[in-house]
Structure formats: structure tokens, C-alpha cells
């Protein structure tokens, strides 16, 4: 209910824009920006109360803001990301095995902390 009341900023032509429109249904029309950097400039200038984008992106921006921005939560949207390999790639099994091992030993979480400014898996889920 609180998310409906605030002024959102969002990048155009993104799934975040669709999620705002279809799921959050804010009372104020979101401010739409062509570039990610413009959305965060709008937040800095107090044109928006919050920006909605991929958790990894907002973590990076919050880390780069030197304490001006904070990631307070994330929404589960059902989105999945993937990698593209040539069809019938001989390395597919090796790639899948490496990813599983990196998850299991905590490397992916550690790399996210170091390179994104936080582990997306540790950000609280909103609306659940």
C-alpha cells in the first residue's frame, strides 16, 4: 500500500516499468528516464522518492552513492537471467557445473558483495 503512494522513477522499456504499472499500480505516474543514470540523478534531485530497477543495479548505485542511497527491499517478479552459448556447445555441462560449485561454496555471494555492493539474495523481499 505504501509503494502505491510514492513517486517512482524507472528506466523506460524495462520490466521494472511494466512491474510498476501492472503490479504496484502507483497513484502518481512514475517518472520515466531513458538511462539508468538519469533515474538516479532524479532520485538525487528529489524528483523521485525511489527508483525501481534490477536489484544488482540498485545495489551498485547505492554502493557508489557513498551513503546517499540505500537498498531497502526487492520485489520477486519471477524474472530469470541466463547465459547464451552456441547451440550444442561442448562446454554447457562444464559451465553448469562451475556455476553450481560457485553457488555452493559461497563464491557468487562473495563476488556480489565485492562487486555489486551487496548480495541480492540478502535484500529483504517486499510484498510477500
Amino acid at each position: 500500500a505504501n509503494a502505491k503512494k510514492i513517486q517512482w522513477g524507472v528506466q523506460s522499456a524495462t520490466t521494472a516499468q511494466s512491474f510498476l504499472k501492472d503490479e504496484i499500480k502507483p497513484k502518481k505516474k512514475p517518472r520515466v528516464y531513458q538511462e539508468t543514470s538519469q533515474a538516479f540523478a532524479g532520485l538525487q534531485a528529489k524528483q523521485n522518492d525511489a527508483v525501481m530497477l534490477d536489484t544488482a543495479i540498485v545495489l551498485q548505485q547505492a554502493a557508489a552513492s557513498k551513503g546517499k542511497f540505500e537498498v531497502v527491499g526487492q520485489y520477486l517478479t519471477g524474472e530469470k537471467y541466463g547465459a547464451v552459448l552456441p547451440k550444442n556447445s561442448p562446454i554447457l555441462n562444464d559451465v553448469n557445473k562451475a556455476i553450481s560449485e560457485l553457488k555452493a561454496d559461497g563464491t557468487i555471494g562473495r563476488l556480489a558483495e565485492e562487486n555489486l555492493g551487496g548480495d541480492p539474495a540478502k535484500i529483504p523481499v517486499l510484498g510477500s
Side-chain angles (χ1 to χ4, degrees), residues 78-93:
E79 290 182 75
K80 303 289 182 197
Y81 293 91
V84 176
L85 299 173
K87 189 171 183 172
N88 300 318
S89 174
I91 66 167
L92 177 61
N93 289 335

Side-chain angles (χ1 to χ4, degrees), residues 52-105:
M52 182 177 290
L53 286 167
D54 295 348
T55 304
I57 293 170
V58 295
L59 280 169
Q60 289 173 321
Q61 291 296 317
S65 76
K66 297 180 172 74
K68 293 177 186 170
F69 302 149
E70 176 183 12
V71 180
V72 296
Q74 65 181 317
Y75 291 96
L76 297 181
T77 64
E79 290 182 75
K80 303 289 182 197
Y81 293 91
V84 176
L85 299 173
K87 189 171 183 172
N88 300 318
S89 174
I91 66 167
L92 177 61
N93 289 335
D94 293 334
V95 169
N96 286 335
K97 181 179 177 199
I99 291 170
S100 294
E101 290 172 358
L102 292 169
K103 282 183 183 177
D105 72 10

Side-chain angles (χ1 to χ4, degrees), residues 9-63:
V10 66
Q11 185 175 349
S12 66
T14 62
T15 55
Q17 185 179 21
S18 298
F19 186 81
L20 272 173
K21 178 181 170 258
D22 299 337
E23 302 296 328
I24 302 294
K25 299 176 183 170
K27 293 178 181 178
K28 298 175 186 175
K29 184 177 178 180
R31 289 201 167 92
V32 180
Y33 300 91
Q34 295 299 313
E35 303 287 334
T36 301
S37 60
Q38 294 170 334
F40 287 100
L43 184 62
Q44 176 79 26
K46 300 185 184 331
Q47 295 171 348
N48 314 310
D49 298 312
V51 170
M52 182 177 290
L53 286 167
D54 295 348
T55 304
I57 293 170
V58 295
L59 280 169
Q60 289 173 321
Q61 291 296 317

